[in-house]
Amino acid sequence: MNRKKFVWRLMPLMAALAFLLTGCGDPTLSALDPKGPVAQEQLFLMKLSLGVMIFVFTVVMALYIYVLIRYRKRKGQEGVPKQVEGSHVLEVVWTVIPIILLIIIAVPTVYYTFKHSENYTENENILQVKVTAHQYWWQFEYPQHGINTAQDLVIPVGQPVAFEVVASDVIHSFWVPSLGGKIDTLVGQTNVTYLQADEPAVYRGKCAELCGASHALMDFKVVAMEQADFDAWVSNIQSPPAVPDSVAQGEEVFRTNCLSCHAVGADGMSMGPNLTGFADREMIAGILEHTDENLKNWISDTQSIKPGNKMPSFNLSDEQMNQLVDYLNELKLQ
Ligand code: CUA
C-alpha cells in the first residue's frame, strides 16, 4: 500500500478520535483539569489505576503476540506439540506481580478515600454550607452567616469548604467536576464532603444522579473568590440595597404572583429559590443566559425550558411582564 493510500485509510479513525475528544473541552467542567486539591488527588488516583492497567495490558498483549508467533504451527509439523504443565517459577511470578500491583493501587486509594471523607462540618474555622437539592435546582445555606441562597454557590479560595448535603424530594448528586466529588444527596440522611478551589473562577456544577425529566438541566455554579471579596459578598447579601421606587409596580406583580414561593432577603426560606441578588446570578434557572428575553420566556413557559420542574408558568400581560422583569433586574447585591 502506498503512503497516500495509507494516510487516506487512517482518516476515518482520526475523525472518530477527534469526535470522541471533543467531549474533553470545557475547562470549568472537567475532572481531567483539576482546580483544587481534592480534584487533583482524585485525578492522581485515576492516572495511577489507568497506568497500572495500561502496564498489565501491554505486558499481557506482548506475551500473547510473542507466543502466537514463536509457537505457531510450522511447515511439516504434525500432531499435538509437547504439552508442558506446572511451573513453580511461573506460578509464583503471576501470583506475586498482581499482588504487588494491587498494593500499589490500594494504598493511595484507601488513604485518599479516608482523607476525602474527613468531616469538617464541626469545624467552626471552616466555611459551612448546607446544600439541599430540589427538582431541579440547588439551595445553599450558610448557617454561620444566616444566608439562604440558590444556584450560585459562592466560596472563598485557598481553603476547604465543608458541605452537608441533603435532598428534598428524590436522590440527586452534588458534583463539581473541576473541584472534586461527587456525593449523593438523600432524603432524610445527611452526607458530608468538602471541596477546595485554588483559583478565583466560576466552575460548573452538575447533578450527577438521574432524578427526573430535567436531570441534565440541573446545573449550578461555584463562584470562587478571594477571601476579601467573599467577605464583601456576605455583607452585601445580608443587606442588599433597596429596590428603586421606579420598579414599585413590578414589585407589586412579584408580590401577587411570585412571593408565595420565592423569598427575597438572605435569611428567607422558601419553597422555590431565594431570589436575593438574582440579577447578579450567573444564569437564569441555572441554564439560561441572563437576558430579559430569556427571563420572560422562562416565566411564561417554564415547562418547555425545564420539563417537570415545579414552577408554574405565568400568563402575564406584556406590561406586567415588563414591570416584573424590571423589578427582578433590580435584585442586585450592591
Ligand atoms: Cu437532580 Cu439529577
Side-chain angles (χ1 to χ4, degrees):
M1 191 172 8
N2 66 34
R3 202 185 177 83
K4 213 170 165 187
K5 233 176 185 169
F6 177 71
V7 171
W8 191 240
R9 288 202 176 169
L10 221 56
M11 288 296 277
L13 178 67
M14 291 304 181
L17 278 178
F19 180 69
L20 277 176
L21 291 174
T22 48
C24 309
D26 193 337
T28 62
L29 186 70
S30 175
L32 303 178
D33 189 4
K35 300 291 186 196
V38 177
Q40 265 153 17
E41 288 155 4
Q42 288 171 348
L43 181 61
F44 164 74
L45 291 180
M46 287 187 231
K47 284 179 172 168
L48 179 71
S49 331
L50 193 65
V52 168
M53 285 184 261
I54 289 172
F55 170 75
V56 170
F57 181 78
T58 311
V59 170
V60 169
M61 277 300 142
L63 287 172
Y64 174 68
I65 290 166
Y66 170 77
V67 169
L68 267 188
I69 294 170
R70 174 80 176 73
Y71 298 103
R72 69 189 186 279
K73 187 174 183 186
R74 288 165 205 272
K75 245 188 194 144
Q77 192 181 335
E78 291 296 333
V80 179
K82 187 182 149 218
Q83 299 297 295
V84 181
E85 59 187 64
S87 161
H88 273 299
V89 177
L90 275 179
E91 279 171 20
V92 168
V93 165
W94 69 52
T95 307
V96 169
I97 291 181
I99 289 176
I100 294 172
L101 292 177
L102 277 181
I103 291 172
I104 291 174
I105 295 179
V107 171
T109 303
V110 170
Y111 171 75
Y112 283 121
T113 301
F114 278 92
K115 187 176 176 213
H116 294 164
S117 311
E118 178 95 38
N119 186 347
Y120 286 108
T121 59
E122 303 294 325
N123 187 332
E124 271 305 306
N125 300 319
I126 285 178
L127 177 67
Q128 305 289 328
V129 181
K130 192 177 168 206
V131 177
T132 308
H134 304 265
Q135 283 173 321
Y136 299 96
W137 60 281
W138 297 87
Q139 180 184 346
F140 304 114
E141 289 170 70
Y142 298 65
Q144 293 149 315
H145 303 288
I147 295 168
N148 180 29
T149 185
Q151 298 300 76
D152 283 12
L153 168 61
V154 180
I155 59 168
V157 294
Q159 53 195 286
V161 177
F163 297 98
E164 281 185 35
V165 305
V166 293
S168 72
D169 34 38
V170 298
I171 301 175
H172 304 266
S173 180
F174 176 74
W175 191 29
V176 189
S178 29
L179 301 184
K182 48 196 105 139
I183 188 155
D184 273 8
T185 68
L186 309 174
V187 182
Q189 185 195 310
T190 303
N191 282 340
V192 301
T193 188
Y194 73 94
L195 295 173
Q196 175 175 332
D198 284 337
E199 304 158 24
V202 177
Y203 305 102
R204 286 174 66 190
K206 297 290 279 181
C207 176
E209 182 72 62
L210 183 61
C211 55
S214 288
H215 154 69
L217 305 173
M218 192 170 157
D219 286 16
F220 61 100
K221 302 287 175 291
V222 178
V223 185
M225 46 180 75
E226 298 292 350
Q227 181 71 50
D229 297 329
F230 177 77
D231 293 340
W233 174 80
V234 168
S235 64
N236 287 339
I237 197 167
Q238 283 170 337
S239 50
V243 293
D245 291 341
S246 57
V247 297
Q249 285 162 314
E251 189 169 12
E252 193 47 43
V253 178
F254 183 83
R255 259 187 234 287
T256 320
N257 295 283
C258 319
L259 197 59
S260 49
C261 294
H262 291 283
V264 176
D267 54 350
M269 297 292 272
S270 51
M271 251 173 69
N274 184 308
L275 294 181
T276 316
F278 169 78
D280 294 337
R281 283 190 192 150
E282 296 288 326
M283 302 233 135
I284 297 167
I287 48 169
L288 298 174
E289 204 190 321
H290 225 303
T291 64
D292 290 357
E293 203 49 41
N294 281 340
L295 186 50
K296 289 175 189 172
N297 289 341
W298 167 247
I299 296 167
S300 53
D301 192 0
T302 65
Q303 294 303 317
S304 73
I305 293 166
K306 259 189 181 178
N309 91 85
K310 287 174 185 148
M311 174 166 157
S313 300
F314 288 88
N315 195 4
L316 302 176
S317 69
D318 286 354
E319 193 192 7
Q320 282 185 318
M321 182 62 92
N322 288 332
Q323 290 167 345
L324 178 59
V325 167
D326 288 345
Y327 167 73
L328 292 171
N329 285 340
E330 289 298 334
L331 294 177
K332 301 171 189 162
L333 291 187
Q334 50 181 328

